[in-house]
């Protein structure tokens, strides 16, 4: 067992554990946010840089700090490691910068986005973002495309976390979708205009941290905070059949996988359960599902005013001096 | 100070062929190590020589070699990084074009030292004609028994393959190069694990620059200690510098480490001074990603000591008043250069070449390019300089690979040393809107 101290809390973890997993073991506020890391997808993580932490001591043998901030999701724990997350102003500053970078090309169309309310980027910017933007240039734009019958890809909103690429790679038999092009022109796409029709392709919607991949059977039907999540199950030949049904009265608006408190699916479900079984009779309802994440949806009420923030107008263009 | 190690026989006609190269003492190092030395001896010799990686980072080569996982049951690989795409750097191209056998000799010796039986040369895709040159040289080496099975009857086997890239600067980053070599999208890997334990096909791998590998042969011939005595202190040996820009004699020069920068620029033996009798304005001494320095700081450090072409001297003063030797792409600008346009041009390159994997680099390079383009075309605002410095500082150190740093440093340093030019651009849009307005000095 290896000893690790994160924000002055010490715990012991097995060898091969990453800093992020160790932090999740401790739990609470010291867990770094993760936009691209997904514990169930091999090779994910390290890309969004929102989980950067400061290592102030490498290990008992090597007492030096690392020269840079490290991605906690992909750095393995060493014995005697001391890590600073929310206690380090440097880390919080870097996280603020990452939020800013993620948002400069994001359309900020939350009012019409189906993901609003259960969006990781929304939560992240709510916690770490600035109230105004310093970006005055044009945002990059893509056309919306349908990848498959039931999935809409809205590339403008994508933060290129690569999670859906790993799902396509690891969960489905034939990989037809990946990242095309380079830099800020890179986009998720199918080559060439292929359709994703695998039985488990719907899981890309659940792993997407933002509203880039949405369920076409649910699009624009309701805001997520108006529908009630229920634990449901059915006997399915393809998957475990354990899912969450989002209901409005007696109607099932959509089916998703069951997500844990870090927004990760407990089990991947098949497309038949997800898209085709929208009748209450198809499912055995176990009871209401507790959503214990700290986002808008879990609050489900608006009495609690967190902080009044005033949205500043963009600064006026300064006229060139003579 | 005019010692030539790599380019000693460059003027010999036909040196690119095996026979002429062999007649000049080529491949003696191969015979020597295979017959007389153990692999540990070779690594020790390289450690003694103090050779540092010539690709830019300057990491000690012997140390890098000693990290390779010897106990691994998997095959080990040596990869030569010939994906030279840094703006301003063209030393490897010159070396491979004229002395392909120098590289192959070094690769055979290095492979032997590392216990490698398969080595790759990853060549930049744009160097199409060099792929032909290398393949021709390899065929000659095979037919003369220096490559293939049972080399020189010693029982050692080695195959070298040439693999062209597809035109991406990011594939010069060692883990992106390995991904590309495996046939995947050239995204840098997240480290750890480092290539020395899990590199190509998950096997222990060493990636070295062309110049580093090419100099291994001469080091074995002359001995590590002798090589260490050349140069200055920890910057041992010689270095190829590819000089370009507004100078009289652009080209590739082999210099002994420790040559004063002033002598390098103004001596007839090297750059031959600034062209058209103009004044020097600024220098980027190590390829486009290192910080730019104004004329006074490149010739003398902030303390007034003459600056020398060594790793230590160029980086003296940190990022405030210093820069880096980098890959040796020496770019000189004369007084007519517009620094803003130049910085924009470099940033445009990094924006175009960012792989798009991690967010600071993907979004930040594009943002910087747009802001710089605005300033250069007369649409700048007074707060843009502070914004650029802030963006650069937020990219730096937060990315997966060094491309983020490489994109941030030129911008941060240009604003640090030439802030007045940026401010002039913002204040006088009517002047900077003139195409090719050049340096702002003639307007002030």
């Amino acid at each position: 067992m290896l000893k690790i101290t994160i924000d002055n809390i010490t715990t012991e973890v097995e060898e091969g554990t990453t800093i992020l997993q160790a932090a999740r073991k401790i739990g609470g506020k010291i867990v770094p946010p993760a936009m691209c890391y997904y514990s169930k997808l091999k090779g994910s993580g390290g890309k969004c840089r929102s989980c950067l932490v400061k290592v102030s001591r490498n290990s008992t043998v090597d007492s030096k700090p690392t020269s840079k901030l490290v991605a906690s999701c992909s750095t393995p724990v060493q014995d005697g490691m001391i890590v600073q997350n929310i206690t380090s102003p440097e880390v919080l500053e870097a996280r603020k910068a990452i939020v800013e970078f993620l948002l400069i090309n994001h359309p900020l169309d939350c009012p019409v986005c189906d993901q609003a309310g259960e969006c990781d980027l929304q939560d992240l910017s709510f916690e770490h973002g600035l109230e105004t933007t310093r970006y005055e240039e044009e945002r990059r734009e893509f056309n919306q495309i349908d990848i498959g019958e039931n999935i809409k890809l809205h590339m403008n909103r994508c933060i290129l976390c690569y999670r859906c690429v790993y799902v396509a790679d690891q969960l489905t038999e034939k990989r037809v979708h990946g990242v095309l092009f380079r830099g800020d022109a890179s986009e998720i796409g199918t080559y060439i205009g292929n359709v994703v029709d695998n039985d488990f392709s719907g899981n890309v919607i659940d792993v997407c941290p933002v509203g880039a991949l949405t369920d076409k059977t649910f699009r624009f039907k309701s805001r997520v905070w108006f529908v009630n999540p229920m634990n449901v199950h059915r006997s399915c030949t393809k998957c475990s059949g354990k899912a969450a049904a989002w209901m409005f009265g007696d109607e099932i608006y959509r089916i998703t996988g069951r997500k844990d408190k870090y927004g990760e699916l407990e089990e991947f479900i098949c497309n038949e359960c997800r898209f085709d079984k929208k009748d209450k009779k198809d499912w055995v309802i176990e009871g209401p599902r507790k959503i214990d994440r700290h986002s808008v949806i879990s609050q489900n009420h608006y009495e609690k005013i967190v902080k009044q923030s005033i949205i500043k107008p963009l600064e006026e263009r300064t006229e060139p001096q003579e | 100070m005019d010692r030539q190690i790599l380019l000693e026989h460059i003027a010999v006609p036909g040196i690119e062929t095996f026979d002429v190269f062999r007649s000049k003492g080529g491949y003696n190092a191969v015979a020597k190590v295979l017959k007389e030395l153990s692999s540990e001896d070779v690594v020790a010799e390289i450690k003694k020589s103090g050779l540092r990686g010539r690709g830019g980072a300057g990491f000690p080569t012997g140390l890098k070699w000693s990290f390779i996982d010897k106990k691994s049951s998997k095959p080990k690989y040596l990869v030569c990084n010939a994906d030279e795409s840094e703006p301003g750097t063209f030393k490897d191209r010159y070396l491979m074009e004229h002395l392909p056998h120098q590289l192959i000799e070094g690769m055979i010796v290095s492979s032997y030292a590392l216990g490698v039986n398969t080595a790759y040369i990853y060549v930049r895709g744009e160097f199409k004609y060099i792929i032909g040159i290398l393949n021709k040289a390899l065929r000659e080496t095979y037919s003369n028994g220096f490559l293939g099975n049972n080399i020189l009857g010693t029982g050692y086997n080695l195959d070298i393959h040439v693999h062209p890239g597809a035109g991406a600067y990011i594939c010069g980053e060692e883990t992106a190069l390995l991904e590309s070599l495996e046939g995947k999208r050239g995204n840098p890997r997240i480290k750890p694990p480092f290539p020395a334990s899990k590199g190509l096909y998950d096997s222990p791998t060493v990636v070295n620059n062309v110049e580093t590998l090419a100099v291994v042969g001469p080091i074995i011939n002359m001995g590590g200690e002798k090589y260490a005595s050349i140069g200055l202190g920890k910057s041992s040996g010689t270095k190829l510098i590819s000089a370009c820009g507004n100078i009289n004699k652009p080209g590739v020069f082999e210099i002994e480490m420790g040559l004063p920068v002033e002598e390098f620029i103004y001596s007839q033996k090297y750059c031959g001074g600034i062209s058209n009798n103009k004044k020097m304005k600024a220098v980027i001494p190590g390829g486009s990603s290192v910080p730019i320095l104004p004329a006074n700081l490149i010739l003398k450090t902030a303390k007034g000591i003459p600056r020398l072409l060594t790793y230590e001297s160029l980086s003296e003063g940190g990022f405030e008043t210093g820069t880096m030797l980098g890959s040796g792409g020496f770019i000189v600008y004369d007084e007519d250069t517009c620094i803003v346009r130049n910085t924009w041009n470099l940033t445009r390159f990094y924006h175009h070449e960012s792989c798009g994997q991690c967010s600071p680099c993907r979004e930040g390079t594009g943002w910087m390019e747009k802001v710089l383009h605005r300033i250069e075309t007369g649409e700048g605002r007074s707060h843009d300089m502070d914004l650029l410095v802030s963006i650069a500082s937020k990219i730096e150190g937060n990315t997966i690979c060094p491309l983020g740093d490489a994109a941030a440093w030129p911008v941060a340093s240009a604003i640090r040393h030439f802030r007045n030019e940026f401010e002039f651009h913002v204040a006088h849009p009517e002047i900077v809107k003139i195409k090719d307005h050049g340096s702002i000095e003639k307007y002030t």
Side-chain angles (χ1 to χ4, degrees), chain B residues 95-159:
Chain B
L95 206 56
M96 289 187 288
E97 193 177 340
H98 298 287
L99 293 161
H101 286 287
Q102 187 86 63
L103 170 64
I104 296 168
E105 181 188 17
M107 284 188 75
I108 300 172
V109 173
S110 312
S111 300
Y112 175 74
L114 296 163
V116 166
N117 297 108
T118 313
Y120 294 92
I121 307 176
Y122 186 92
V123 189
R124 179 182 180 195
E126 284 88 340
F127 291 171
K128 249 185 178 162
Y129 66 109
I130 285 178
I131 297 165
I133 294 171
L134 287 172
N135 275 326
K136 185 168 167 277
L138 282 173
R139 274 198 301 276
E140 286 175 337
T141 319
Y142 269 105
S143 61
N144 282 287
F146 280 88
L147 273 178
N149 288 338
N150 197 11
I151 298 169
L152 303 178
T154 55
Y156 176 64
N157 308 330
L158 176 68
D159 285 306

Side-chain angles (χ1 to χ4, degrees), chain B residues 307-308 310-319 321-325:
Chain B
R307 223 182 258 281
L308 312 173
T310 60
Y311 290 103
E312 292 78 24
S313 176
L314 281 172
S315 57
E316 193 169 316
F319 279 171
T321 58
T323 175
M324 281 156 71
L325 181 58

Side-chain angles (χ1 to χ4, degrees), chain A residues 79-298:
Chain A
D79 194 30
M81 202 177 225
I82 297 176
V83 174
Q84 284 180 293
N85 179 22
I86 51 172
T87 49
S88 160
E90 198 187 333
V91 170
L92 295 178
E93 197 55 41
R95 202 159 286 158
K96 223 183 227 176
I98 300 300
V99 177
E100 189 174 24
F101 284 133
L102 287 176
L103 289 179
I104 60 168
N105 274 313
H106 193 80
L108 297 172
D109 57 349
C110 308
V112 294
C113 175
D114 284 293
Q115 190 85 2
E118 51 176 14
C119 173
D120 289 352
L121 187 59
Q122 221 178 14
D123 298 349
L124 188 73
S125 30
F126 188 66
E127 265 177 75
H128 301 281
L130 302 166
E131 65 265 39
T132 178
T133 180
R134 300 189 291 168
Y135 189 71
E136 297 165 38
E137 272 64 42
E138 276 186 20
R139 286 162 202 263
R140 63 157 186 252
E141 275 178 36
F142 298 90
N143 292 332
Q144 294 180 25
I145 52 168
D146 291 330
I147 51 169
E149 219 179 310
N150 294 310
I151 307 167
K152 186 74 148 184
L153 170 60
H154 200 314
M155 191 56 215
N156 288 357
R157 294 171 184 158
C158 180
I159 58 161
L160 284 163
C161 68
Y162 281 63
R163 278 181 188 175
C164 58
V165 178
Y166 289 110
V167 168
D169 208 14
Q170 290 166 24
L171 226 57
T172 61
E173 279 165 7
K174 207 174 82 189
R175 184 182 155 190
V176 287
H177 112 290
V179 177
L180 310 171
F181 311 117
R182 195 164 66 193
D184 62 4
S186 39
E187 56 175 293
I188 303 290
T190 55
Y191 192 80
I192 302 170
N194 254 323
V195 173
V196 182
D197 57 357
N198 189 284
D199 268 341
F200 281 82
S201 62
N203 289 300
V204 296
I205 300 165
D206 280 352
V207 299
C208 185
V210 293
L213 290 159
T214 46
D215 183 345
K216 275 169 80 181
T217 62
F218 179 63
R219 265 168 80 85
F220 306 128
K221 276 212 173 150
S222 171
R223 308 303 329 212
V224 285
W225 53 87
F226 292 138
V227 285
N228 297 319
M230 296 288 199
N231 274 340
V232 293
H233 70 263
R234 63 183 280 269
S235 65
C236 176
T237 48
K238 291 173 189 157
C239 66
S240 68
K242 286 181 187 163
W246 299 74
M247 300 180 66
F248 191 81
D250 267 355
E251 249 181 289
I252 293 180
Y253 272 33
R254 71 162 177 178
I255 304 285
T256 65
R258 296 182 186 177
K259 290 184 181 179
D260 64 15
K261 62 175 166 182
Y262 299 112
E264 290 187 11
L265 284 182
E266 285 164 9
E267 269 164 298
F268 294 106
I269 59 167
C270 69
N271 282 6
E272 191 190 333
C273 291
R274 182 186 302 273
F275 298 125
D276 302 336
K277 303 293 174 194
K278 293 287 174 76
D279 198 326
K280 207 180 160 189
K281 279 176 268 171
D282 293 330
W283 297 92
V284 181
I285 295 171
E286 295 165 16
R289 177 166 180 76
K290 190 176 174 283
I291 306 281
D292 49 6
R293 293 173 66 208
H294 51 273
S295 59
V296 182
I297 182 168
S298 58

Side-chain angles (χ1 to χ4, degrees), chain A residues 38-71:
Chain A
Y38 209 79
S39 63
K40 288 162 188 79
L41 297 172
K42 209 177 140 231
S44 66
K47 294 179 170 56
C48 70
R49 317 306 280 176
S50 61
C51 69
L52 288 176
V53 291
K54 189 179 176 177
V55 175
S56 40
R57 192 174 81 166
N58 257 323
S59 66
T60 32
V61 246
D62 175 14
S63 61
K64 286 197 298 287
T66 45
S67 53
K68 293 174 179 178
L69 302 180
V70 300

